Amino acid sequence: MEKRRSAPPVDAFEQVCVSKGEDDEMEIVFYRTSKVKLVVVWIAIFLSLFFIRLIFYWRRDWYAKSVASRCSPNAHADWVILKDKSMQQFAHRIHTRILSDSLKHGKNRRKSISRIDVESKSDPTPEYSIQTFFFHQRLKYILNTKRSCFEKTSVPPLTLSSLLTSKGLTLAEQHSRRWLFGENSIRVHVTPIIILLVTQALNPFYVFQLFSILLWTAGESYYYYAGCIGLLTIVSLAAQIIQQRMMERALKKTIGVNNSCFVWRSDLNEWREVAAETLVPGDVIQIPEAVDCNIPCDLILTSGDCIMNESMLTGESVPVTKVALEASESDVIFDLTQHSRHVLFSGTSVIQQRRTAGDDVVKGVVYRTGFSTSKGELVRSILFPKPIDFKFTNDSYKYVGFLATMALVGMVYTIVVKQLNGDAAEDIVIRTLDLVTIVVPPALPAAMTCGIVFAQFRLRRSRIFCISPNTINVCGSLDAFCFDKTGTLTEDGLDLLAIRQAAPDGTFEENLDLSAGSKHGEAGHLKAENNNNNNHHHHHHHLLHRDVLEAMATCHSLALINGTINGDPLDLKMFQFTNWDFEETNVKGQVQGQGPALAPIVVRPKPSTNPRDSNPPSSVREIGILRQFTFSSKLQRMSVVTHRRASRRAEDLTLFTKGSPEMVASFCRPQTVPDNYESVLNSYTSQGFRVIALAMKELSGEATTDALARVRNLTRDECECDLTFLGFLVMENRLKAETIPVIHQLKIANIRTIMVTGDNMLTALSVARTCGMLTLVDRVIIASVSVSSSDRPSEIFWCPVEMPNAATNLNSFETNGDVEKNRLEFVDSRVSFAVTGRSWALLRQHFPQFLPRIVLRGTVFARFSPDQKKQLVEELQSLGYYVGMCGDGANDCGALKTAHAGISLSEAEASVASPFTSKQPNVSCVLSLIREGRASLVTSFGIFKYMAGYSMTQFLIVCIITWPVVGSTMSDFQFLYEDLFVVTTLVFTFCFTGPHSSIAPRPPMISLVAMAPVTSLLCCMSLNLGVMLFSWYYTQAQPWYEEPDTRDGRDSDDTNVNYDQTVLFLITCTQFITMATIFAKGSPYRANIFSNIFFLINLLICTSATVIMIFNKWPWWAWLLELKMPPTFAFEGIVIGVCCIHFFVSYLVEMYFVDVLVERWVQPCLSRLVFKERVKYKLVEREMETSPDWPPLADKSLAEVMEMELAATSADDGDGAKKQTALHEDAQQSPRDVIVNGHRSDGIENPAFEITPADECDVAMTIDDVSMTIDETAYDSASNQEQSLLERDDDDDDHIDDVRTDL
C-alpha cells in the first residue's frame, strides 16, 4: 500500500475566521473544557439554586467561557465560539464522528480535536475516516485537514465542460457524499406545545414575571394583583405559542415536501427513482415534465430549456427562461452569479420545459442541497433574522440599565429605612425585592411591541405585507431612498414609438414614427389567439427591412404557456408589433402539425389578404429559433440563432442580437455603424426613451440535423462578433402616475431620492429630471473613469451634462404633454453626480477616496448590476444614512435585503426577497411605509417614556410611604387599579393613533439618551415629585390629620390605611393620566390625539373614576381600595386644583420647553459646539462646502465621455474570456479544497464533483476505502443522528446535552 504523507504541522493552524470574504464571515475562537472550571461552575450552579444555569441558558457563550479555557485548535478543543458582524456570539460543540462506527453501528460519537486526530505518530487503522465538524444556523462546518481550517460544506470549482460531460454517480459514491453533505432537506419542524411552553416560559421576561408573582403571593399577600398579572401572563404566553405554531406551520407549508425524482446511476446505467432527500451534489437528475413541479435542490441545467416561476425567491411574477450550459472549448470556471441563467434554484417551479433535439429528457446536475441552496438561505434568513442595529433599540437597553441602577439604590434605601424602623429580616428581604418589580415594570416588553403591532395591522390594510415587524420602527428614521427605474418609477408596459433603421451606406434612414397608434400593452402576457391587436401597425411592415422585422419576431425569450404568450414586457411589445404567429414543439419534440422539429420555437407571419402587402402568401417565410443566448444583466444583450424556411428549402443560419446600444455596437463591424450613431442615440435617450439596438450575422451552413449539433456547440463568443448593425427600437417607458407626487413628497421631507437602474445613463437622467429627482437648476456631472493601460494610469473625468429643460419633439412624435407642468422646481442648485456601473467598479478599485463624495451627491446610478446596487446601499449605510430600497424584486434582491428597509413591488402577499412587499404596483407604498414607520417610532418613544415615568413615579411614592414617619405601603387593589385599570388600558389605546397625513421635513428622534428625552423625563419626574411632596406636607398641616400608626400593630388590617398613603395614591393616579396625555403627541408624525376615539374615551373614564374617588362619591370604592378619605370638601377641591395645575404646567413644559427650546435649539447647538459630529455624511458635506471648486470639470464633451464608456465596455467584454481562462489556470495551480481537499478538474474520467481524499495523512476522509462497503440502513441511522444533532446544536439550546456531557 502506498505510504501516506504526513499532515502539515498543527502549529500552523491559526484560523481566525470562517467564511472569509462572504456575507456571513465570522471570527472563530477555540476553547477546551477544564475539569477544574467545570466543577467550580457546577458548584456555583447548585448553590444558586440553578439561577446561574438559567443565565447560561440565555447566554450559552458565557457557559462555554466559564467551563473552558481558550486554546489553539489542535489542543483538544471541544468548543468553538463565533462572533458575527453584528457582534453576536454563538457557542457550539465540536463533534468528531468516525465513519465506520457511524455506518456500521449508527452511533454518533463525540470527541475533541486532539493532536492524534490531526497528526498521529502512530498509524491508526486505515479503515477509519474521521469527520470533525460543528453546526451553525443549520449549516455544517467541517474540518479541512488539507487547509487545516473549518469550511462550509460546498462543491469544488467546476468547469463547464466537466458539467456537460458528467455521467452521474454510482450508488456507493452517492452514499459517501450523502454522509458528507447530509440530507437534502429543509426541515422546519412544528415544535410540540410542551417544548414551546418550556422554551417561552424561560424567556427572561416571563421568568421575571414569575418571580414577581411568587414574591407578591408569598410575602406581600397581593393575591388579587398577582392573580391578574398571572392571568395576563398566561394569555400572553398562550398567544405567543399560538403565533409561533402558526408561523412554523405556515413556513413548513410554504417550504413544501420534496417528492421523488429520477436519478441516473452510472454503475447501473439506468434511471432510478429515489427520494429527493437523498440527492447529493454531483447527481444527474431528470427535470419532471409535470406543470408547477418544485425543484428540490439547486441544479445546473445541462440539456433542454425550462421556463421557471421564481416568484417565491424574487417576488417577480414574470416567468424566467433557463437554458442549458453552453458548450465551450475553453475551460471556463462555473460561477453561480455569472451563469445563473443555467441554474434552476430550489423552491422555484417548472412552468414548461423543452427538450434539446436528440435528447430524451431534460436533465441537470445537482449543485447544492439542503440549507446550502438558495431556498435554504432564504429559510435561514427567516429562522435567524439579522439583528437590527437601531439606536432606539440600543438606547432602550441603556434605559433599562438605568432603571435597574435606580432599583439598586432603592433597595439600599429600603434596607436602611426598614432596619432603622426595626422590621423583621424576612420583611426587609421581601420589601427590598418588591421594589425591583416596581422600578423595572414587567409589562415593559409587551408595551413596547404594541405600537409595532398596530402599525403592521394598518400596513396590511394598505396592502403592504411585512415579514420583519421590528423593521417598521427603522422605517421612521429613513433619510435616503433608492429606487429602481423600470417597473418601479416607470410603467412595466412599453410603447413602441419609433424604429430607426440603418441604411447600407452607413447612415440612418428617416425615423419610422409609430406613435400614432401607440397604446400601453399589458405588462405580463398577451393571448396567442388575440395577438393581432396591432393590426393598425401592419401598414408599417412594408417600410421595414426584412432583417429588422425578423429580428423583432425572433430575438426574444417568449414562451407559450397554456395558450398565452408570456415573457418580458419589452419582448411582448416587440413581438406584438410584428403580427406574427408563435408556435412551440409539443412534448414529443415535434412542431404541431409538422414532422420532426429542427427548432423548438417557430414563428411565421400571418397570412395577409391585403393586395398591397409586400409579402404575399406564396412567399410566406417560416423562421425557427434553434438556439437562445438568454439575456444577462451583466452582458446587457441576448442573441438567437435562427433559420429561414420557405417551401421547405433550408437557407443559411442567421444570428440576431438585441441589447443595450453601447454593448451591441461594440460587437458590430465599424463600417455598419452609422457615423451619427452617438448623436442619434443621445437625442433619444436624453428625452427618457428606452432604446434597444438590433444586429445580425449570417452564419455558414444549412439548417440540417447535423448543423443543429454544431449550433448547440457554438459559444457565445464565436457567434456575437462581426455583427451587422440594423438599427434602433425606440420605446417609451412612461412614468407611473404616482411617481412625481411621491418624489415631490420625499423631497419636501428632506429624504434623499436616488435612482439606481440597469438602463442607459441618459435615459435615467431624463427620467430623473422628469420625476423631480433632479431639479432644473441642478448641475449634473457624470463621473467617468478611464481604464488603465501599460502606458497610462486610470483617470477620472468630471463631465457636466446640459439637460433639456423640456421634452422636445422627436421627428413626428412627442412625449407626455403633462410633464412640463408637473415638473418640480426646487431652489437647491448643488452638484449632482451620475455614475455608470463600469465607472463605479473602477472608482472602487482606483479612486476609493472619492466614493464618499460621489455617494453623498450622487442621484443617478445607471447600468448598475445587481451586485453594484447592493454595494451602493452599503456605501450609503457606511456614511450614516438609514437607507430604504424600492424595486420590483427581480434584479434588486440583494439591495432589498441589504437596505434598512426594502420594499418589493410584487403580487405575492409576502416575499422573502425583502422585509416588505407591496401589492400596490407603484411607489406610493413608500409614503405609507415612512408615515407608518414614523408613527410607530414616535409611539414606541412615547410608550417607553410613559412606562419609564410610570415606574419612577411609583418608585417615588413607595419610597415616600416607606419612610418611617409613614411606615406604610400600597394595598393590593391600589396596585391593581394603577397598573391594570389606568396604565395598561392607556398604553393599549395609546397605540391606536394612526400616522399623520403628510411627512414632516425632520425625521423623529431616534435616541432615547439625547438631551431632549432625558430633559423631558427629568422635568416630568421633578414636577411629579414636587406635587407629591407638596400634597404630603399640605395634608399633614390639616387640622383633621392623624399620624400613621407606626407601632408594632403592623399586621392589623388597617395598617396601610392613612391619609398620607391615600393622598399620594390619588395624586399619582392623576399623574399617570397626565403623562399619558402629554406623551401622546400628534403632529407632525402622528394624527391628532382627537382622532383616537378609543384613547379619548379611555382618558375620560380614567379621569372620571379618579375624580369620583377624590370626592369620595363611592364609599364602597374607597373601602375596596383601602383608602382613608379626607373629611372636608375644600381639601378635595384643592387636590383637584393641584392636579389641574400640574397637568397644564406639565403640558407647557413638554410642548414648548422640551419640544421647541431644547430639541430644536439647545440640543443642535450643543451638538455643534460641544460634541463632535458623529454622522459621517455630515462631515463629508462640510468638507465639500469648504471646497466649492471641486470637482475640476473636464474639457471633454458628453459625446466623448459616452464614446469612452462605449470603448471601455467593449474592451471589458472582450477580455472576459481571457479572465475566465486565467481564473481556471489559477484554480489548476492552487485548487480550492472543498470540505476535504477538492479535486483538480482535469484528467478525471467523471470530473464533475469528483472528491478525492483530503490529504494523504492517516485521518483523511478516504471515501474510496468505505464507498463499496456502506450499508444503506446503517447510513440512514447515522443520517438521522446527524439531523438530530443539527437541529439540537443549531438552536443554541443544547443545554441538556451540555449537562450530560459535562457530568
Side-chain angles (χ1 to χ4, degrees):
M1 185 176 67
E2 182 181 358
K3 185 177 180 181
R4 297 178 182 269
R5 185 179 56 194
S6 61
V10 293
D11 294 339
F13 191 161
E14 297 180 355
Q15 181 171 359
V16 295
C17 66
V18 292
S19 304
K20 189 173 183 179
E22 302 180 18
D23 292 338
D24 58 348
E25 178 179 340
M26 296 173 292
E27 297 179 10
I28 182 171
V29 181
F30 297 91
Y31 284 82
R32 180 180 60 190
T33 300
S34 168
K35 294 182 179 180
V36 176
K37 285 187 174 183
L38 186 63
V39 172
V40 172
V41 166
W42 276 98
I43 291 176
I45 289 174
F46 283 112
L47 293 178
S48 65
L49 300 179
F50 284 84
F51 177 72
I52 295 178
R53 182 56 189 163
L54 183 62
I55 296 177
F56 288 152
Y57 174 82
W58 298 329
R59 291 296 303 268
R60 195 182 182 196
D61 57 311
W62 291 0
Y63 176 77
K65 293 177 181 178
S66 299
V67 302
S69 301
R70 187 169 179 176
C71 66
S72 59
N74 61 301
H76 301 272
D78 52 8
W79 282 95
V80 60
I81 294 182
L82 306 173
K83 182 191 293 185
D84 63 9
K85 294 179 180 179
S86 303
M87 306 308 293
Q88 294 185 106
Q89 295 193 24
F90 308 90
H92 301 290
R93 288 279 192 175
I94 296 178
H95 308 281
T96 300
R97 187 173 62 183
I98 299 178
L99 175 62
S100 59
D101 283 353
S102 298
L103 294 177
K104 295 180 181 179
H105 307 294
K107 297 179 180 179
N108 181 23
R109 294 182 55 184
R110 171 180 291 182
K111 295 174 59 178
S112 63
I113 304 180
S114 61
R115 187 175 186 86
I116 195 171
D117 292 329
V118 180
E119 179 183 17
S120 178
K121 295 181 180 179
S122 61
D123 189 9
T125 306
E127 64 185 35
Y128 285 177
S129 284
I130 298 177
Q131 188 183 88
T132 304
F133 60 95
F134 65 86
F135 288 106
H136 174 67
Q137 295 184 349
R138 304 294 175 90
L139 291 182
K140 184 178 182 181
Y141 292 79
I142 192 167
L143 178 63
N144 185 326
T145 55
K146 177 70 177 288
R147 290 178 173 270
S148 296
C149 62
F150 281 92
E151 296 178 349
K152 286 187 290 190
T153 54
S154 56
V155 296
L158 305 166
T159 61
L160 301 188
S161 58
S162 67
L163 289 166
L164 288 170
T165 58
S166 177
K167 305 299 183 183
L169 303 175
T170 65
L171 186 60
E173 290 172 340
Q174 186 268 343
H175 285 167
S176 300
R177 298 187 187 188
R178 190 178 168 197
W179 177 74
L180 188 61
F181 290 96
E183 296 286 337
N184 175 38
S185 63
I186 304 174
R187 297 184 182 179
V188 177
H189 294 283
V190 178
T191 310
I193 294 179
I194 186 63
I195 296 179
L196 274 179
L197 179 62
V198 174
T199 304
Q200 293 293 337
L202 291 178
N203 183 282
F205 165 63
Y206 290 114
V207 170
F208 184 63
Q209 282 196 331
L210 179 62
F211 164 76
S212 303
I213 293 172
L214 293 176
L215 179 66
W216 295 330
T217 55
E220 296 290 328
S221 300
Y222 292 152
Y223 300 116
Y224 298 107
Y225 182 68
C228 291
I229 295 297
L231 179 62
L232 290 177
T233 302
I234 293 174
V235 172
S236 176
L237 191 59
Q240 287 202 8
I241 291 175
I242 293 173
Q243 183 180 10
Q244 180 75 11
R245 293 267 295 184
M246 291 176 60
M247 187 196 73
E248 290 178 351
R249 286 177 176 174
L251 186 58
K252 184 175 182 179
K253 182 179 179 181
T254 302
I255 293 173
V257 179
N258 291 333
N259 298 319
S260 60
C261 57
F262 285 91
V263 178
W264 180 260
R265 289 285 171 247
S266 57
D267 54 342
L268 303 176
N269 200 29
E270 66 177 9
W271 292 101
R272 291 195 110 184
E273 186 175 6
V274 299
E277 287 79 5
T278 63
L279 294 177
V280 295
D283 273 331
V284 175
I285 69 171
Q286 287 186 23
I287 309 302
E289 297 181 354
V291 178
D292 293 333
C293 66
N294 291 323
I295 300 299
C297 57
D298 288 352
L299 59 91
I300 303 168
L301 199 61
T302 56
S303 70
D305 300 338
C306 290
I307 300 172
M308 307 298 298
N309 178 7
E310 295 187 345
S311 60
M312 177 185 175
L313 302 182
T314 65
E316 177 61 57
S317 58
V318 176
V320 180
T321 300
K322 302 288 185 175
V323 298
L325 284 176
E326 303 164 5
S328 175
E329 294 180 359
S330 61
D331 288 333
V332 177
I333 298 295
F334 176 81
D335 180 79
L336 185 62
T337 303
Q338 180 182 352
H339 300 100
S340 61
R341 63 186 182 276
H342 309 300
V343 180
L344 307 187
F345 292 103
S346 174
T348 61
S349 58
V350 179
I351 300 176
Q352 184 176 310
Q353 59 164 258
R354 291 192 295 258
R355 303 172 188 169
T356 306
D359 290 332
D360 296 331
V361 296
V362 178
K363 60 185 179 181
V365 179
V366 177
Y367 183 62
R368 298 186 303 190
T369 58
F371 281 97
S372 299
T373 63
S374 55
K375 179 181 176 182
E377 291 174 359
L378 293 174
V379 173
R380 288 195 308 114
S381 68
I382 297 175
L383 295 176
F384 311 100
K386 181 181 178 181
I388 300 174
D389 186 16
F390 190 39
K391 189 170 181 58
F392 174 79
T393 305
N394 297 334
D395 289 349
S396 65
Y397 297 140
K398 297 178 183 178
Y399 251 110
V400 172
F402 170 73
L403 294 177
T405 304
M406 282 188 59
L408 183 61
V409 174
M411 290 171 66
V412 175
Y413 166 81
T414 303
I415 293 173
V416 173
V417 170
K418 291 292 183 180
Q419 191 71 29
L420 294 175
N421 212 26
D423 289 353
E426 179 183 357
D427 183 60
I428 293 176
V429 172
I430 292 175
R431 298 292 183 184
T432 302
L433 295 176
D434 182 44
L435 197 64
V436 178
T437 66
I438 294 175
V439 179
V440 183
L444 180 60
M448 293 297 296
T449 59
C450 285
I452 298 175
V453 170
F454 284 103
Q456 186 177 7
F457 175 75
R458 290 191 295 266
L459 284 172
R460 191 173 184 87
R461 287 193 305 181
S462 301
R463 305 179 70 193
I464 300 175
F465 301 91
C466 175
I467 64 172
S468 179
N470 290 333
T471 312
I472 296 177
N473 274 354
V474 183
C475 296
S477 60
L478 296 178
D479 48 12
F481 223 101
C482 300
F483 294 90
D484 183 32
K485 183 181 76 69
T486 306
T488 303
L489 297 173
T490 60
E491 297 282 358
D492 282 327
L494 298 171
D495 289 334
L496 185 58
L497 297 183
I499 299 176
R500 197 68 180 267
Q501 302 179 104
D505 58 356
T507 61
F508 276 110
E509 296 182 355
E510 289 297 321
N511 184 72
L512 181 58
D513 178 16
L514 309 176
S515 60
S518 180
K519 296 180 180 179
H520 284 289
E522 194 171 355
H525 56 82
L526 64 101
K527 289 290 183 180
E529 60 270 16
N530 294 328
N531 64 355
N532 58 352
N533 295 337
N534 275 358
N535 283 334
H536 56 273
H537 286 319
H538 193 59
H539 66 280
H540 294 295
H541 291 180
H542 70 281
L543 301 177
L544 292 179
H545 298 168
R546 185 188 73 170
D547 294 331
V548 173
L549 183 62
E550 291 179 354
M552 296 175 65
T554 59
C555 196
H556 51 70
S557 57
L558 300 177
L560 192 63
I561 303 174
N562 297 327
T564 301
I565 301 178
N566 282 263
D568 185 86
L570 185 150
D571 290 345
L572 285 169
K573 179 60 68 173
M574 182 180 68
F575 183 77
Q576 184 183 19
F577 171 81
T578 63
N579 198 34
W580 282 33
D581 283 327
F582 185 97
E583 290 184 352
E584 283 191 347
T585 58
N586 57 22
V587 295
K588 296 182 180 180
Q590 296 180 350
V591 179
Q592 297 173 0
Q594 302 290 333
L598 295 178
I601 299 176
V602 175
V603 295
R604 63 173 65 87
K606 292 181 179 295
S608 175
T609 57
N610 187 351
R612 295 181 299 173
D613 197 337
S614 60
N615 296 323
S618 59
S619 61
V620 168
R621 291 184 304 276
E622 180 179 272
I623 302 179
I625 302 176
L626 305 179
R627 178 81 182 276
Q628 287 184 347
F629 298 102
T630 55
F631 177 80
S632 168
S633 299
K634 180 179 180 180
L635 300 179
Q636 300 178 17
R637 64 187 185 274
M638 75 161 294
S639 299
V640 293
V641 178
T642 67
H643 72 91
R644 306 184 187 96
R645 295 193 296 177
S647 300
R648 303 195 63 79
R649 280 192 307 108
E651 300 183 9
D652 289 344
L653 304 176
T654 307
L655 174 84
F656 291 107
T657 300
K658 82 170 191 300
S660 66
E662 302 93 336
M663 186 61 68
V664 172
S666 66
F667 291 96
C668 293
R669 290 178 288 124
Q671 60 270 26
T672 66
V673 180
D675 297 334
N676 58 342
Y677 165 87
E678 287 289 345
S679 61
V680 172
L681 174 62
N682 292 342
S683 68
Y684 289 115
T685 57
S686 63
Q687 299 176 69
F689 301 120
R690 188 171 183 179
V691 180
I692 304 297
L694 299 176
M696 65 157 298
K697 177 183 179 180
E698 295 289 348
L699 303 176
S700 60
E702 294 185 345
T704 62
T705 304
D706 294 337
L708 292 181
R710 185 178 61 84
V711 168
R712 287 198 300 271
N713 294 325
L714 286 175
T715 65
R716 198 160 191 161
D717 294 337
E718 292 174 343
C719 295
E720 294 175 340
C721 61
D722 298 329
L723 305 180
T724 299
F725 184 77
L726 297 179
F728 291 142
L729 299 181
V730 183
M731 294 183 164
E732 182 185 21
N733 200 193
R734 298 184 181 182
L735 285 175
K736 295 181 179 179
E738 300 81 6
T739 298
I740 292 180
V742 168
I743 299 299
H744 177 58
Q745 288 289 329
L746 294 177
K747 297 278 280 189
I748 292 177
N750 291 327
I751 297 176
R752 278 193 62 190
T753 54
I754 302 165
M755 180 188 298
V756 51
T757 177
D759 210 340
N760 178 274
M761 169 61 77
L762 295 183
T763 301
L765 285 172
S766 177
V767 173
R769 178 81 75 185
T770 303
C771 71
M773 285 188 181
L774 293 173
T775 66
L776 296 177
V777 294
D778 276 344
R779 290 189 301 154
V780 181
I781 297 177
I782 295 180
S784 181
V785 183
S786 65
V787 182
S788 60
S789 60
S790 57
D791 57 345
R792 185 189 64 178
S794 294
E795 296 181 74
I796 184 170
F797 300 95
W798 311 95
C799 177
V801 179
E802 296 296 333
M803 297 294 295
N805 291 337
T808 57
N809 290 349
L810 184 61
N811 287 349
S812 60
F813 58 88
E814 300 178 353
T815 59
N816 187 355
D818 296 331
V819 170
E820 182 61 27
K821 70 178 183 180
N822 290 329
R823 182 174 281 118
L824 310 173
E825 299 187 16
F826 298 94
V827 188
D828 189 3
S829 60
R830 298 185 307 171
V831 169
S832 293
F833 291 115
V835 184
T836 63
R838 187 199 63 84
S839 294
W840 171 266
L842 293 175
L843 278 169
R844 286 169 54 88
Q845 181 180 359
H846 300 291
F847 303 97
Q849 68 273 21
F850 291 135
L851 270 184
R853 295 190 175 193
I854 292 176
V855 171
L856 177 69
R857 294 288 183 86
T859 303
V860 175
F861 298 86
R863 294 297 189 207
F864 262 48
S865 66
D867 286 340
Q868 289 174 328
K869 293 181 180 181
K870 178 182 176 182
Q871 293 168 6
L872 173 62
V873 172
E874 291 174 341
E875 289 292 338
L876 287 167
Q877 291 173 334
S878 67
L879 289 181
Y881 282 106
Y882 283 94
V883 187
M885 174 71 193
C886 183
D888 57 9
N891 294 325
D892 309 313
C893 289
L896 289 169
K897 292 180 184 178
T898 305
H900 289 102
I903 182 166
S904 172
L905 306 183
S906 173
E907 288 297 321
E909 282 196 3
S911 170
V912 290
S914 63
F916 299 94
T917 303
S918 173
K919 296 189 73 174
Q920 305 175 30
N922 56 69
V923 294
S924 62
C925 58
V926 171
L927 298 181
S928 300
L929 187 61
I930 294 177
R931 284 198 298 264
E932 289 292 353
R934 291 188 171 189
S936 175
L937 179 59
V938 172
T939 298
S940 299
F941 218 98
I943 288 178
F944 194 93
K945 290 203 303 180
Y946 180 69
M947 294 298 293
Y950 145 70
S951 62
M952 286 190 286
T953 301
Q954 207 168 64
F955 169 75
L956 291 175
I957 186 178
V958 170
C959 289
I960 292 175
I961 65 179
T962 307
W963 187 253
V965 177
V966 180
S968 179
T969 185
M970 292 177 63
S971 68
D972 193 355
F973 281 100
Q974 288 174 5
F975 277 118
L976 204 61
Y977 179 83
E978 285 187 347
D979 292 352
L980 295 184
F981 182 75
V982 178
V983 175
T984 302
T985 57
L986 287 176
V987 166
F988 184 73
T989 55
F990 187 104
C991 307
F992 279 46
T993 306
H996 198 270
S997 58
S998 61
I999 303 178
R1002 292 186 306 111
M1005 190 176 300
I1006 61 174
S1007 176
L1008 281 169
V1009 296
M1011 185 177 184
V1014 172
T1015 303
S1016 174
L1017 275 176
L1018 288 177
C1019 291
C1020 182
M1021 289 301 99
S1022 299
L1023 290 173
N1024 288 354
L1025 180 61
V1027 171
M1028 286 182 194
L1029 294 177
F1030 170 80
S1031 303
W1032 184 28
Y1033 284 113
Y1034 184 75
T1035 302
Q1036 293 180 350
Q1038 300 304 308
W1040 42 260
Y1041 176 76
E1042 298 177 358
E1043 291 287 341
D1045 185 7
T1046 59
R1047 295 172 301 174
D1048 294 337
R1050 304 178 190 281
D1051 296 334
S1052 60
D1053 293 338
D1054 61 344
T1055 302
N1056 293 328
V1057 180
N1058 56 71
Y1059 288 122
D1060 302 272
Q1061 178 230 48
T1062 299
V1063 172
L1064 291 175
F1065 167 73
L1066 296 175
I1067 289 295
T1068 53
C1069 286
T1070 62
Q1071 289 176 348
F1072 293 149
I1073 298 173
T1074 296
M1075 287 190 296
T1077 305
I1078 65 174
F1079 290 154
K1081 300 176 182 178
S1083 179
Y1085 307 114
R1086 301 205 313 165
N1088 193 285
I1089 189 175
F1090 296 103
S1091 65
N1092 190 345
I1093 303 299
F1094 296 101
F1095 186 62
L1096 292 178
I1097 294 175
N1098 195 2
L1099 285 175
L1100 181 61
I1101 294 174
C1102 292
T1103 304
S1104 301
T1106 305
V1107 170
I1108 290 174
M1109 277 196 303
I1110 293 176
F1111 285 106
N1112 197 19
K1113 296 302 181 181
W1114 293 341
W1116 63 269
W1117 189 249
W1119 169 81
L1120 180 66
L1121 295 179
E1122 300 183 34
L1123 302 176
K1124 190 172 184 178
M1125 302 304 300
T1128 63
F1129 181 81
F1131 181 83
E1132 295 167 349
I1134 291 175
V1135 171
I1136 293 294
V1138 170
C1139 294
C1140 292
I1141 293 174
H1142 172 259
F1143 172 82
F1144 286 111
V1145 172
S1146 299
Y1147 180 83
L1148 293 176
V1149 169
E1150 181 70 21
M1151 296 301 160
Y1152 295 99
F1153 177 72
V1154 175
D1155 287 355
V1156 177
L1157 181 61
V1158 176
E1159 184 176 345
R1160 298 187 183 181
W1161 295 96
V1162 178
Q1163 183 173 300
C1165 291
L1166 286 178
S1167 298
R1168 289 193 299 266
L1169 299 177
V1170 179
F1171 304 103
K1172 293 182 179 180
E1173 185 62 66
R1174 297 180 180 180
V1175 182
K1176 187 176 179 181
Y1177 73 81
K1178 292 185 179 180
L1179 296 175
V1180 178
E1181 183 71 38
R1182 291 178 186 175
E1183 291 178 3
M1184 294 189 67
E1185 289 175 355
T1186 59
S1187 306
D1189 296 332
W1190 189 89
L1193 301 182
D1195 55 359
K1196 290 181 177 290
S1197 65
L1198 178 61
E1200 290 174 328
V1201 172
M1202 292 293 100
E1203 184 177 354
M1204 182 177 66
E1205 291 274 350
L1206 176 63
T1209 301
S1210 177
D1212 291 344
D1213 190 81
D1215 292 339
K1218 297 179 181 179
K1219 293 178 181 178
Q1220 287 290 333
T1221 303
L1223 178 63
H1224 177 61
E1225 291 174 354
D1226 293 340
Q1228 287 182 324
Q1229 294 173 2
S1230 179
R1232 175 178 176 268
D1233 297 317
V1234 181
I1235 312 112
V1236 280
N1237 189 30
H1239 73 292
R1240 297 177 184 268
S1241 58
D1242 53 334
I1244 299 178
E1245 181 179 357
N1246 182 20
F1249 298 92
E1250 190 71 25
I1251 300 177
T1252 58
D1255 201 346
E1256 294 182 3
C1257 62
D1258 297 321
V1259 295
M1261 222 182 311
T1262 316
I1263 295 178
D1264 294 337
D1265 294 340
V1266 296
S1267 60
M1268 301 307 296
T1269 60
I1270 294 177
D1271 182 86
E1272 187 169 1
T1273 304
Y1275 170 76
D1276 290 337
S1277 175
S1279 170
N1280 294 335
Q1281 292 279 352
E1282 179 172 315
Q1283 185 66 28
S1284 175
L1285 179 63
L1286 182 152
E1287 293 162 5
R1288 185 179 68 240
D1289 216 14
D1290 175 63
D1291 295 332
D1292 293 339
D1293 293 334
D1294 189 15
H1295 306 287
I1296 298 177
D1297 187 65
D1298 292 339
V1299 175
R1300 186 186 68 246
T1301 303
D1302 294 337
L1303 295 180

